[in-house]
Amino acid sequence: LTIGDQPELLEAIVKKASALTPGQGAHNVGPVIDAASQQRILEYINNAEKSGCKIILDGRSWAEREGTWVGPTIIVHTNPADPALHDEIFGPVLSVLAVKDQEEAIRIENTNPYGNAAAIYTQSGGVADWFTQRFRAGMIGVNIGIPVPREPFSFGGMYGTLSKFGEHDITGEGAMRFFTTRRKITTKWSKFETGKKEEDISQFK
């Protein structure tokens, strides 16, 4: 989501994404996992184009290569209900929708049933604070596209969303409680004379 039209931003993204090449090294985009995934991604792009979306960077030509390739693709939407805006495509596809203000942006974001993660890109601390206080997501990023923290913080969404699976999350304290058994040992020691020499406990060290 962009607040208002952002032609300079889109131009910069297109330029950067266009420089990526197929492969599995630096500055490369690798193939998708299998032919079914490739077909699914291409269908999202084709359907978006048929519905009137503008494809400002088209990676479908990569599919002509041997293997299961899809190149970086950027879709500009005008309909907030477009499937590519809501579904996880699991491919190199960026969907863009311009909204009029931050209120519309947060409304669209928070009506999504998945509350796993949300991110805001901005140069303003005030804007970042406004969004982070209102996002309905378990993991929030500021100028970070995939805001997945490391342990001991948990990975997962919030209650009331489709990204919250039961009581615990994959990482963090919840996983420790789920996968381990906590044992409690209570001891008390008193001083008393035995009349014997100190016991050799070296074997226990």
Side-chain angles (χ1 to χ4, degrees):
L1 302 175
T2 65
I3 298 178
D5 293 324
Q6 301 290 338
E8 292 182 1
L9 173 63
L10 292 183
E11 183 180 349
I13 295 174
V14 168
K15 181 178 180 181
K16 197 171 187 68
S18 298
L20 298 171
T21 55
Q24 293 181 295
H27 310 295
N28 291 154
V29 175
V32 298
I33 191 167
D34 55 28
S37 178
Q38 179 193 48
Q39 186 58 36
R40 179 175 178 270
I41 296 167
L42 293 174
E43 285 179 2
Y44 272 102
I45 302 171
N46 293 335
N47 291 337
E49 186 176 47
K50 291 176 184 176
S51 70
C53 297
K54 186 177 181 180
I55 313 296
I56 61 174
L57 180 63
D58 194 341
R60 287 175 288 186
S61 62
W62 285 29
E64 299 171 5
R65 301 170 57 91
E66 182 179 357
T68 55
W69 300 88
V70 179
T73 299
I74 302 175
I75 307 171
V76 176
H77 300 261
T78 56
N79 183 358
D82 285 344
L85 284 167
H86 298 274
D87 300 342
E88 283 197 88
I89 299 176
F90 292 105
V93 179
L94 176 66
S95 288
V96 180
L97 176 68
V99 298
K100 62 181 180 180
D101 54 30
Q102 67 267 25
E103 296 288 350
E104 183 181 8
I106 202 70
R107 179 183 59 79
I108 292 174
E109 174 66 26
N110 288 348
T111 53
N112 189 297
Y114 301 99
N116 196 32
I120 170 71
Y121 283 86
T122 179
Q123 294 180 325
S124 167
V127 171
D129 185 65
W130 191 93
F131 276 95
T132 57
Q133 295 299 317
R134 290 166 174 79
F135 276 139
R136 188 180 70 120
M139 301 181 294
I140 297 172
V142 176
N143 298 325
I144 296 175
I146 306 177
V148 179
R150 302 306 308 163
E151 296 77 1
F153 302 102
S154 62
F155 175 95
M158 299 178 68
Y159 286 106
T161 72
L162 297 181
S163 295
K164 182 67 175 176
F165 304 102
E167 177 63 24
H168 305 299
D169 293 311
I170 297 172
T171 58
E173 175 117 5
M176 293 296 293
R177 291 198 302 267
F178 184 81
F179 289 108
T180 63
T181 299
R182 294 189 175 185
R183 302 173 65 226
K184 284 72 65 179
I185 300 174
T186 305
T187 66
K188 179 180 179 181
W189 298 92
S190 300
K191 287 185 85 174
F192 58 91
E193 295 292 335
T194 65
K196 298 179 180 179
K197 291 183 178 181
E198 186 175 343
E199 187 178 1
D200 182 10
I201 61 169
S202 60
Q203 60 181 314
F204 300 107
K205 293 181 179 179

